[in-house]
Amino acid sequence: MPRASKDIINVKGFHLEFGEIDEYLKRKSYYGKRVSVDYDELRKWDLNLLSHFKPFYAPLCDLCCMCTYGKCDLLGKKGACGINLEKQQAREALSTAVIGASAHAAHARHLVDTLIEKKPTSELHYDSSIDIKTPISTTVTGVEPETPEDLDRIMTYIERELTNLMASVHTGQETEVTDFESKALHAGMLDTMALELAEIAQINQYGLPTGKADTHMLEIGMDVIDSTKPVILCIGHNIAPSAEIIDYAEDIGAEEEIEICGLCCTAMEMGRYSKSSKIVGPISRQLTFLRSGIPDVVVLDEQCIRSDVYEVCGEMGMVVIATSDKCSMGLEDMSEENPYRIINRILQEKIPGVLIKDEKKVAMVAVNLALQLTRGRDPETSDRFRVNCVRCSPCDSNCTPSRKPEKQEDLDLNSVLGYCELCGECNRVCPAMLPIMEAIDDAKNGDLRAIGTLYESCSGCGRCMEVCPVGVPILDIIRESRGETPERFLIRAGRGPVQDIEIRRVGAPIVFGDIPGVISLAGCSNYPSGERDVQIIAEEFLKRGYIVLAAGCAAMDIALTHDDEGKTLYEKYPGDFDRGGLLNLGPCVGNSHAIGSAIKIANIFARVPMKGNTVEIADYILNRIGVCVIGWGAMSQKAFAIVTGANRWGIPVVLGPHASKYRRLYLGESSPRVIRDKSDDSMVPSEPAPPHLTYAAESINECLVMASKMCIRPNDTPRGRMVKLSNYVDLHLKYYGDLPADIDLFVRNEREIPYKHKDDILEILRKKNWKPREPVKEPTIIR
């Protein structure tokens, strides 16, 4: 007789466990729900795009060092594997895009898994005025996620595709430039999906703003931090550790005794989560603030963390708590230990840093450790300033490389400056090409004005200090010489998505051109004069009636400048998605809302089907929605993926100010373009609009003029075209001093000529034998 139990049947030669059947059925059910997308259709769209916008490469070097065949010199010849320089550059573009998309996907995976763990059966929601919750993911996959499990299914698709794309980078795989670029565009689109999933996961878990235009104001700037209190600084992108720190401080009643602040996107997340948190600033403030000596405990999560942060914190006497296996820094993993034992070990054994992957323990350790480290500090002398010693030779083995003076006056500028030999090495390596040596020379003679003015232009990279042969702490001197005006500003908290009702209100004016365009500011802020440049770009378009969106470091940069009345742009302009609105979308993941708003316009206003309809939506955006992304700043792999994702959706990008280092552009022809008119299926001449898909601007002047031109679309009405050309002409005159020479390409009939300069423009048209033409009724590049 067979032996049987509730879960097992045993017959001679046969063994069956019902749990195996359950698991099989579960897997079958799961794979029945597996997300699948037609990549072949997306590839056809990419090749179509690339036929209009040719890849242009500017290699930083001519070598390939990716395998042991090499290194191979590809200048005018092939490498050992048969690859040439153009293919290698396309391969590097794909690799860069995949790295960036993987960073965002890993971040999204953590948030989605946490949401599944904590709220497995919850229903995903946004504000009641938002029906389309995930326009990007729904358009690509056809899935409208309702639960965390749906997010998991989409995440699995993203991860599967990224693995496939990374495999194509391997030696002996992909061989064609256009296919490398198609895959790079695919990686960029996956990046936009990961951003979107990370955002909806954290909004649903932490109750962040969901489309509210008038979010609360937050303080931002290095001087908003009260250094008389214990200071916890959070750096990175993941909200989880900082949210737990804020909650724990409130739970034990220590929120008034302690300062919890943030740098980079974590700071933006904290500001959305709690009105009491403070923002130090964007990534460009990281080294400067750490070297100020103000933080007591530095908590790291993931992304945009300086590689030397542990070393710098050690020099300044700060304790580091790493919280992610993506950024472990060689630290001892104490995740399983009792939090109070961790604190005791840090204090007694003088451990400078630990790894704790349990966010609740991170909160307990960070708050209590900060309170312990500062216990007994005299508040009268707690305006702390730590200075690295001037390196001497030979070095005393007992020398402590940093100290914590009791008073800020302990920084003797004269004695520190006296070590400077005016060798000029600082000038040579400064990426902003600042006149550091000359400013120090003035300071040595008692005039600190020149070196103080470098603060706003300094990108905070610290390369000047690295090359200084006598170890002068140049970054500290610049910071301390910046004058008496405190760095205190206001920024509107990140609002999250654009509401559907806002799209309905402005969809028509945007598509027809009455609102001249939507400008989305992205990018990293380690670049010269960064805050001022981004503020000028934003305000130039705001006062002309464009809608300006910003996320991540760019959103913070906009806030770091006052006008003559002492206001920031966030205080001057409303946060609505409407003419002249300035929207802080939130951290880097908020860039998904910029692309999502364009998709919503196509779906809500034009009724273009959305589910699984990526190509038609992207074609509509390219030809009818005047949106342009400006990536103004140093381009990390993540930023590369963000702008490449925008390109996949038909959104043009202007990069700068060091955009030649971007290495790959998508450039169009400066001549009439032939596109298809869907109304009668004819091929007709049209303006080159947008003129490029990715363009490098080497100055703010070039950026402003090109961005205005990037918003021109074949679908513009005569009135809309006149509005856009008015801005293009005015900006060209303001920043170049003359009328644009290519104006004839964009004027279809005399009704579109801006009144103010009509006579001069007509003269240009006459010289170029311009002929009027009819607008394309239903423009498309799909054949």
Side-chain angles (χ1 to χ4, degrees), residues 52-54 510-511 513 515-520 541 546 620-632 643 646-647 649-656 659 662 664-670 673 687-697 701-716 720-721 723-725 727-729 731-732 740 742 746:
H52 291 280
F53 306 101
K54 308 287 186 183
I510 290 173
V511 171
I515 291 177
V518 179
I519 301 294
S520 179
F541 286 113
Y546 290 75
Y620 188 93
I621 293 171
L622 176 71
N623 289 289
R624 307 195 190 204
I625 301 177
V627 57
C628 174
V629 170
I630 298 178
W632 201 249
V643 299
N647 291 156
W649 290 101
I651 298 173
V653 177
V654 178
L655 303 170
Y662 189 80
R664 190 262 282 129
L665 305 174
Y666 293 138
L667 301 180
E669 298 289 340
S670 298
R673 188 174 297 158
E687 56 280 286
H692 308 288
L693 207 55
T694 305
Y695 179 84
N701 297 15
E702 189 179 8
C703 169
L704 287 162
V705 172
M706 179 55 71
S708 68
K709 186 161 66 169
M710 288 284 209
C711 290
I712 298 174
R713 294 292 183 274
N715 193 65
D716 297 336
R721 179 61 58 85
V723 171
K724 292 184 179 184
L725 289 180
N727 287 295
Y728 175 42
V729 169
L731 287 166
H732 204 283
D742 62 354
F746 302 98

Side-chain angles (χ1 to χ4, degrees), residues 453-466:
T453 58
L454 298 182
Y455 181 75
E456 288 190 2
S457 300
C458 177
S459 62
C461 67
R463 290 164 81 178
C464 54
M465 295 191 299
E466 285 297 315

Side-chain angles (χ1 to χ4, degrees), residues 73-357:
D73 182 0
L74 303 181
L75 186 61
K77 58 182 80 73
K78 295 178 182 178
C81 71
I83 201 167
N84 63 21
L85 186 57
E86 184 184 33
K87 293 176 183 179
Q88 174 63 13
Q89 290 302 302
R91 182 188 185 197
E92 287 191 1
L94 170 57
S95 175
T96 303
V98 171
I99 292 170
S102 297
H104 284 141
H107 179 201
R109 167 53 74 187
H110 178 273
L111 291 168
V112 169
D113 284 352
T114 305
L115 182 63
I116 291 172
E117 178 185 342
K118 294 184 176 181
K119 300 181 179 180
T121 60
S122 62
E123 182 178 342
L124 300 175
H125 66 86
Y126 269 155
D127 187 89
S128 59
S129 61
I130 300 174
D131 293 325
I132 304 173
K133 296 189 286 287
T134 55
I136 299 173
S137 300
T138 301
T139 302
V140 175
T141 67
V143 176
E144 290 185 276
E146 299 295 337
T147 66
E149 185 186 46
D150 293 330
L151 299 183
D152 178 71
R153 291 168 54 209
I154 300 173
M155 276 305 312
T156 301
Y157 164 74
I158 294 172
E159 291 157 345
R160 189 170 67 242
E161 291 295 291
L162 286 175
T163 301
N164 196 53
L165 293 175
M166 198 68 235
S168 296
V169 178
H170 191 277
T171 303
Q173 289 269 37
E174 186 58 76
T175 62
E176 180 52 46
V177 167
T178 51
D179 271 309
F180 273 127
E181 291 295 353
S182 172
K183 290 176 170 64
L185 289 166
H186 192 53
M189 185 195 73
L190 296 170
D191 181 77
T192 64
M193 294 172 65
L195 295 172
E196 183 178 70
L197 298 189
E199 177 74 326
I200 193 170
Q202 66 184 16
I203 283 176
N204 278 265
Q205 182 173 342
Y206 295 103
L208 308 182
T210 57
K212 183 181 177 184
D214 56 341
T215 51
H216 55 275
M217 289 288 185
L218 296 162
E219 287 190 300
I220 180 172
M222 285 182 53
D223 294 320
V224 306
I225 311 304
D226 184 354
S227 60
T228 64
K229 298 179 180 180
V231 177
I232 300 174
L233 172 66
C234 301
I235 305 177
H237 278 248
N238 196 329
I239 187 176
S242 55
E244 293 291 350
I245 291 170
I246 292 169
D247 288 347
Y248 179 75
E250 292 177 352
D251 289 344
I252 67 171
E255 67 269 27
E256 297 297 327
E257 301 176 42
I258 200 166
E259 282 282 84
I260 304 172
C261 57
L263 263 162
C264 214
C265 283
T266 286
M268 297 283 280
E269 302 286 28
M270 294 165 65
R272 301 167 84 191
Y273 184 66
S274 170
K275 296 180 181 179
S276 64
S277 67
K278 295 177 179 178
I279 303 173
V280 175
I283 191 173
S284 56
R285 291 289 192 269
Q286 191 167 150
L287 182 58
T288 303
F289 190 64
L290 289 174
R291 290 184 58 85
S292 73
I294 291 174
D296 294 291
V297 177
V298 177
V299 178
L300 310 174
D301 50 79
E302 59 182 287
Q303 301 175 28
C304 296
I305 300 165
R306 283 184 60 95
S307 295
D308 62 350
V309 67
Y310 182 50
E311 175 187 342
V312 173
C313 289
E315 291 174 355
M316 307 309 295
M318 305 167 192
V319 177
V320 171
I321 301 176
T323 65
S324 169
D325 54 9
K326 306 181 200 73
C327 177
S328 301
M329 298 194 165
L331 300 176
E332 181 182 351
D333 188 348
M334 297 189 185
S335 304
E336 300 303 319
E337 291 198 29
N338 180 294
Y340 296 106
R341 175 172 166 74
I342 297 173
I343 294 170
N344 288 334
R345 284 193 60 190
I346 291 171
L347 294 174
Q348 293 172 11
E349 301 175 26
K350 302 189 184 305
I351 298 173
V354 296
L355 171 63
I356 308 173
K357 291 182 284 188

Side-chain angles (χ1 to χ4, degrees), residues 53-73:
F53 306 101
K54 308 287 186 183
F56 170 84
Y57 300 106
L60 290 182
C61 79
D62 303 320
L63 300 177
C64 175
C65 310
M66 291 184 73
C67 79
T68 53
Y69 273 135
K71 56 186 178 182
C72 293
D73 182 0

Side-chain angles (χ1 to χ4, degrees), residues 746-757:
F746 302 98
V747 176
R748 297 171 300 192
N749 57 67
E750 288 194 25
R751 290 178 298 162
E752 298 174 353
I753 300 175
Y755 298 128
K756 187 176 178 181
H757 306 287

Side-chain angles (χ1 to χ4, degrees), residues 462-475:
R463 290 164 81 178
C464 54
M465 295 191 299
E466 285 297 315
V467 300
C468 181
V470 293
V472 175
I474 299 170
L475 206 61

Side-chain angles (χ1 to χ4, degrees), residues 327-521:
C327 177
S328 301
M329 298 194 165
L331 300 176
E332 181 182 351
D333 188 348
M334 297 189 185
S335 304
E336 300 303 319
E337 291 198 29
N338 180 294
Y340 296 106
R341 175 172 166 74
I342 297 173
I343 294 170
N344 288 334
R345 284 193 60 190
I346 291 171
L347 294 174
Q348 293 172 11
E349 301 175 26
K350 302 189 184 305
I351 298 173
V354 296
L355 171 63
I356 308 173
K357 291 182 284 188
D358 182 325
E359 282 116 12
K360 290 191 178 298
K361 287 184 182 179
V362 168
M364 296 177 70
V365 173
V367 172
N368 288 293
L369 182 61
L371 291 169
Q372 290 269 20
L373 287 170
T374 56
R375 182 172 293 166
R377 182 193 299 164
D378 183 354
E380 296 298 321
T381 61
S382 61
D383 190 7
R384 310 186 304 290
F385 183 80
R386 300 183 178 97
V387 187
N388 277 13
C389 67
V390 175
R391 292 192 294 271
C392 55
S393 180
C395 199
D396 183 349
S397 60
N398 296 318
C399 175
T400 302
S402 63
R403 63 191 181 92
K404 179 179 172 181
E406 291 185 351
K407 296 183 180 180
Q408 188 162 319
E409 288 81 355
D410 283 4
L411 173 64
D412 186 346
L413 280 176
N414 289 329
S415 63
V416 173
L417 289 168
Y419 285 92
C420 177
E421 299 174 348
L422 300 177
C423 65
E425 284 295 300
C426 50
N427 284 16
R428 182 181 63 81
V429 301
C430 178
M433 297 180 287
L434 299 178
I436 301 172
M437 183 190 72
E438 293 78 3
I440 289 179
D441 192 19
D442 288 348
K444 286 165 71 77
N445 295 313
D447 185 357
L448 297 176
R449 289 175 298 176
I451 199 163
T453 58
L454 298 182
Y455 181 75
E456 288 190 2
S457 300
C458 177
S459 62
C461 67
R463 290 164 81 178
C464 54
M465 295 191 299
E466 285 297 315
V467 300
C468 181
V470 293
V472 175
I474 299 170
L475 206 61
D476 304 335
I477 295 170
I478 292 173
R479 183 189 67 247
E480 290 303 309
S481 304
R482 59 191 166 94
E484 300 298 324
T485 304
E487 190 180 75
R488 304 178 71 96
F489 307 94
L490 289 177
I491 180 174
R492 191 180 296 118
R495 58 167 282 168
V498 177
Q499 297 178 5
D500 296 2
I501 192 171
E502 292 176 297
I503 298 293
R504 291 188 182 94
R505 185 167 59 240
V506 300
I510 290 173
V511 171
F512 296 143
D514 293 334
I515 291 177
V518 179
I519 301 294
S520 179
L521 289 161

